[in-house]
Each structure stands twice: as structure tokens, then as C-alpha cells.
Amino acid sequence: MHALILGAAGMIGRRLVDALVKDGQVGGQTLSALTLLDVVPPAAPEGFSGPVRAEAADLTAPGAAEAAIAGRPGVIFHLAAVVSGEAEANLELGYRVNLDGTRLLLDAIRAANVADGYRPKLVFTSSLAVFGPPFPKVIPDDHILRPASSYGVQKAMGELMLADYARRGFLDGIGLRLPTICVRPGKPNKAASGFFSGIIREPLAGQEAILPVPDTVRHWFASPAAAVGFLVHAAGLDLAAIGPRISLTMPGVSATVAEEIEALRRAAGDKAVALIRRAPDATIARIVGSWPEAFEPEAALALGFRADGSFDAIVAQHVAEFHGG
Amino acid sequence: MHALILGAAGMIGRRLVDALVKDGQVGGQTLSALTLLDVVPPAAPEGFSGPVRAEAADLTAPGAAEAAIAGRPGVIFHLAAVVSGEAEANLELGYRVNLDGTRLLLDAIRAANVADGYRPKLVFTSSLAVFGPPFPKVIPDDHILRPASSYGVQKAMGELMLADYARRGFLDGIGLRLPTICVRPGKPNKAASGFFSGIIREPLAGQEAILPVPDTVRHWFASPAAAVGFLVHAAGLDLAAIGPRISLTMPGVSATVAEEIEALRRAAGDKAVALIRRAPDATIARIVGSWPEAFEPEAALALGFRADGSFDAIVAQHVAEFHGG
């Protein structure tokens, strides 16, 4: 099985490549070739003996989508996107990358399907941002699509078009609405959600972390490993059996900031917790206050998608990766 | 108030123009100018003394959307669309007209907003086709968007983008999900829904009508006059007060085929009913069987949208217009 990963240089993309290479298979078939594309050149993976094409590519450039699938990959992971804050700040960029990029990919697949019967599995990463307030405390699978951001609108439009092209038989498709990734590795960033990871990551590294919201704030999380697990699991599913609602809210861990802090304490003690500095920020609190708190992802659970076991497990995954266990 | 009507030569568009001219006002302001565009040249209305621009225009042609709003109309009715059957038969045409056409209009408005603060009211006609099975017997306002047709996908994508552009303040927007129009005037067509109108229209004209589905089939209807009433009412609403869910299911009359037939009998007697010939068609029955039966359009009712009073009223409206009352 030849796998194409769009967005292969990103935080999830790199881990997905590593996981596929380590597994040596995808969707129950031997991994035979890799095409890795991103706006920056992805690193070629170590330990894979098959052919690898790792290139910088802009999916919205003329001919780029056709070139991406020229090798007729059997499975495509479409992770390429402009993130939420950037899509809000730059409307044209967001629609171009998140909507047009997805549409160009879908249309390249359709043209290939018409030309030679090509019909890949397409695993599309969507987002909780397809939902918007008002929210019930626990959000069911059939909650209305009403995004409160341009990013959410673009992802919802992608979900709709993916479902249409799957219904018409051009591809086998599935959309995964990923939880907020935590603990996100790397440096602190300006994303409104950054503190959810920062209050774990920084103290574990002996550094101060800023907490701009009350301890009672609750949100929906998955570790990077769990997110990669969702993608790998999706590639192995019989997508013909899923039915018409192919974009699924992924399971996660619903945790409050207070619960995050107690998990940090259990992992690294009071000294680590003391590095969290409370600095209330009304703007961030207002943004985060409009976010969902918990989901009941029945469809995804029934299909075998599995979240991290607890927030302690989320912390443990980060510790094992970055602090030698 | 200058009104722009996109799709002005269509069945609803022509009636809307007539209604606006007859009212002499729109949205509480004097109707001062009309721009009427369609793929075929719209007729200029009689009895209107203000400036009228009535032209053939393809909204997806380069510069056409900018030209359409060059006169800075205060209210825009966007009715232009490729219909359901055509969008299903010709995927590229459907996405081009129904998605790109709407997007080009939205982007032309955005550019004008940025350039000179232009901020029109945009009344967008959407469709029940944004919903797909499985359905509850009565469908609430917050039912999940899960279209079962490319047309429904394109309308849902338009709704999402409209909401995003309204949220960002480029325009004041509202989307109206129109019920199936009945009695649709004109000749029988090949639309799967054609018989709903045909079994009233043809017998009233002394002609035979084909009924391809069981008498128990139930659906959601509005007369052409009610549909125009929704559009006119929407133009008069304070759209800033509607909140974030700006695409609304319009009220309608839920009726079975049997109830349609009894309304015909009350209006035109047994002789008319005898002109209905039952010719079961499994394909049409299957298509129509996946359609919604009834809605609970609470939000639209709260905003003052009003359906026809009964299926008898729907028949009476057709009789008054085409058979002299």
C-alpha cells in the first residue's frame, strides 16, 4: 500500500509517518511506498526501505493535487491546513488552503476515478471547530454544524464536500474531528489554547507557565499519540460500512484545568505545580469560554476509536517521549 | 432602496419582482431602483418608474459579481441556482453555479465592504435538501446538516460561508430553506417532485396527471406566493437581531398525497380527481421516500415568517392566479 501524507512536516504528520514506518503496514497491507508533501520539505523517514518521495508542495498551486496523486496512493491522509488563528486573521489564506486545497484534492481524485477507476481511501482531519455555541454540557454526534470561526466553516465545508464525493463513489472517505492536542510539544505559542499544553509542558521542563483562565475551565483533549492512533485506525476501517455520516467526532479526555494540574502534581510533584503562574486574561477566558467541554462520540467509539485512558496517561505519554519516562 | 435580484427570470424571481414593484417598497424603504440579472434576460417590470437594469449575466464569469453590485444595492436576493436534478447530473456545473457563484458574490461584497464600507442585506435561498435521512417524523431547527445530494451539499456550503461573512460584518445575511413549491406553474417536468404539483395543476386544467407514489407520501409545501412572502419578509427583518444561526427552515404545510387529492376534490370536484392516474414508479417512490415529511420551524415562526394556512389555501392560490378564481 502506497500512502500519501499531505501535511507530512507538521506535528501530527511527522508522528504519523513514524508510526506507519514502525508498523510496516497501513490498513492491513504492507506499506510499500510513501509520498510526503508539505509547504516545507518533509524529512524522509528512517528505517523504511521502500521508495519515498518527500517534497515541498503547495496543494493549491496549479497541477499540484494531480501531481500529489500521480503515484495513485491507496490511502491518503489529508492533514494540510492553515490553523484556526491564522485562518481568522487571514481570510483569503484560510479559504484558499483549507477549502480550495481540499477541493482541488477531491477534484484530482474524481478526475482520476473517471479516467482509470482510481478510488483511494481519504482520511481527512477535521476539527471540533465545526461546532459552535450554544453547547449542551455533553455534545452528541448529531449536534448541529454551526462553526464560530472561519477555520470551522472551512473544515465543515470540507466535510460536506468529502461526503458528497464519497457518496458518488469517487473515493472512500472519513473525516476525523480531532480533540485539542495536549501535550503539544515545542515552544509556547500565541494560540488561545496554548496554555492547556503549556501548564504541563513548561513545568515538566522546569520552566514557568502562564495560566490565563480559571481552574474550572473544561475542554476535550487527545495526546499526539492518540491522534496518530485515530488516523492509523481510520485507514484500517471498512469505510463502505460507515454509512452516510462519515465525519466523526473523535473520543477524548474531558478535563478541567484543575484536573490537569492534579495530573501534573501526581507526575512531577508540588514543585512542578508551583511553576504555574496565574495571570488572568479576560480575552483568552472569553474565547476559551465559548469552546466545547465534552462530547459523547458514540459513532467513533462503536467503530473502535479509542482515546487516552485519562489525563494522567496524556501526561505520561509526554514524559515518556521528552523526559525519558 | 435599490434591490438586486439574482435569478430574476425564474419562477420565484419574476414573482418577487412583481411583488416588490406592487409594494413600492422593500425592507420598509421606498423601492428606488432595480437590478435584475439571470442567465436569460429578465423582463423589465411594468408599473415601476425608477431605473431598472435587466440583463443576462453569468455570476461565475470574471467580474460579473463585482458588476452586479456596482450600483451598491441595499438589498440583494440571491435566488440564482442550478436545480437539484441538474446539480446531481452535472457535478461540475452544480459546484460552479451553486458554490462558486455564491462565493464570488460574497467575495465581491467583502471587497466592496473593505473598499467603501458597503454592507448590504443578503437574502439567500437555501433548501430543505441541506437535510438528509434518517429523519425524525418532525424535524427541529437544529437538525444536523447532512445532505443526500450534491445540490444539498452546495446549499449547505453556501449557508456556512454566508454565516461566516455575516459574522465578520461584511454583510447582513439570512438564508431561507424554502419548502417544496406547490402548485408549481408551467408544464410537467422530469423532477422527481413534479407530481406533487402535477396532480393539482393538470386536473384543474382538465388534463390527466400521473401519480407515481402511494397516497400516504407526506411532504412539506409552500405556494409560490408564500415563498415570495418569505423573501419580502426577510428583507424587512433586523438581521442583526437574529443571532448566529442565520439559515432558517421556512414554515410550510405538511400534507400527504391523499390530503392533496382531497383539497383538489373540494376545489374542483370528483371529475378533477378522476383525472389523476396512478402509475406506481419504484424509482420515484424510493427517491421521495427519503425526503422530509414535516418540520417544526420555531425560529422562523418567532421571526414572523408565515406559511400558507392549509393545502386548500395552496390550491386556492393557484386557482385564483390561473383559473380566474
Side-chain angles (χ1 to χ4, degrees), chain A residues 204-278:
Chain A
L204 284 173
Q207 291 166 11
E208 186 182 87
I210 302 292
L211 176 58
V213 304
D215 288 33
T216 50
V217 165
R218 178 179 287 283
H219 195 47
W220 188 246
F221 302 106
S223 69
V228 168
F230 298 149
L231 293 162
V232 169
H233 184 69
L237 286 174
D238 176 6
L239 300 185
I242 290 184
R245 294 183 183 176
I246 64 173
S247 283
L248 305 170
T249 301
M250 289 293 103
V253 173
S254 177
T256 62
V257 166
E259 288 164 358
E260 283 197 69
I261 292 172
E262 289 315 303
L264 174 66
R265 194 187 309 276
R266 285 188 289 273
D270 293 339
K271 202 171 133 191
V273 171
L275 288 165
I276 299 173
R277 184 161 66 81
R278 284 174 174 75

